[in-house]
Amino acid sequence: MTTVSTPQHSTTTLGQRPIALVAWGATEAILRHSQATLARIDMTQPQWWALNNIVRAEHGLTREEIRALAVPYGMGTQVMVHAADALVHRGWLGMGTDGRLTLTEQGGEGLATAKEHMDRVRAELLGDITEEEYATAVSVLQRVTDNLAQGLL
């Protein structure tokens, strides 16, 4: 007996699925994987975001500037401030006399470790997906978002 294998997700099948369902499933899977990976090094996703935003700022950020950051996934604005507070307590962030939070040496080491873990998450997320395919998928989802924001249905 000959068995013919068909792809689990053919283009025809995928083209019939609601894009929101697929995007939501991908979002949940990516978040679960990212959060589990960060938890292994005793870090939360908001702490990861706070560190990245603070390190990108030339002179660090104040609590007010952190509060003003765009926070994804419907989390409240305070989540980043709480994350930064936890990182200060942990010794990864220091606060200057001007109220600016900056990365400490210990924080730099922690950020480097977290970056290694998150680079692995990206590699696992991509799997056999090429960078071009990934860029196309992101581009299409962004265009869907832009279309809806402009009211073009």
Side-chain angles (χ1 to χ4, degrees):
M1 178 165 128
T2 305
T3 305
V4 177
S5 173
T6 57
Q8 183 180 358
H9 300 295
S10 71
T11 336
T12 305
T13 305
L14 287 176
Q16 296 171 355
R17 294 187 70 200
I19 194 168
L21 180 65
V22 175
W24 187 261
T27 299
E28 287 183 325
I30 292 165
L31 287 175
R32 268 193 314 273
H33 192 64
S34 298
Q35 291 165 352
T37 298
L38 290 169
R40 286 194 280 279
I41 57 169
D42 195 28
M43 181 181 280
T44 66
Q45 198 149 31
Q47 290 170 345
W48 167 246
W49 297 328
L51 280 174
N52 279 291
N53 280 285
I54 289 167
V55 80
R56 280 188 209 119
E58 187 176 352
H59 301 291
L61 296 173
T62 65
R63 290 171 55 85
E64 292 72 32
E65 290 168 332
I66 292 170
R67 192 175 286 112
L69 293 171
V71 182
Y73 314 118
M75 295 181 184
T77 56
Q78 280 299 113
V79 74
M80 293 286 272
V81 174
H82 295 313
D85 289 344
L87 292 166
V88 168
H89 180 72
R90 189 175 189 166
W92 287 24
L93 294 177
M95 185 179 298
T97 55
D98 59 357
R100 294 197 161 283
L101 295 167
T102 56
L103 207 59
T104 64
E105 185 176 328
Q106 186 179 358
E109 292 167 8
L111 180 60
T113 299
K115 183 171 177 0
E116 288 173 15
H117 281 73
M118 294 307 282
D119 286 347
R120 273 196 303 277
V121 165
R122 180 172 170 80
E124 292 163 355
L125 177 144
L126 287 176
D128 66 348
I129 299 167
T130 67
E131 287 288 339
E132 183 178 288
E133 290 171 318
Y134 180 83
T136 298
V138 171
S139 173
V140 168
L141 287 171
Q142 186 60 59
R143 286 171 44 209
V144 167
T145 303
D146 294 346
N147 288 345
L148 294 174
Q150 295 172 19
L152 303 175
L153 297 175

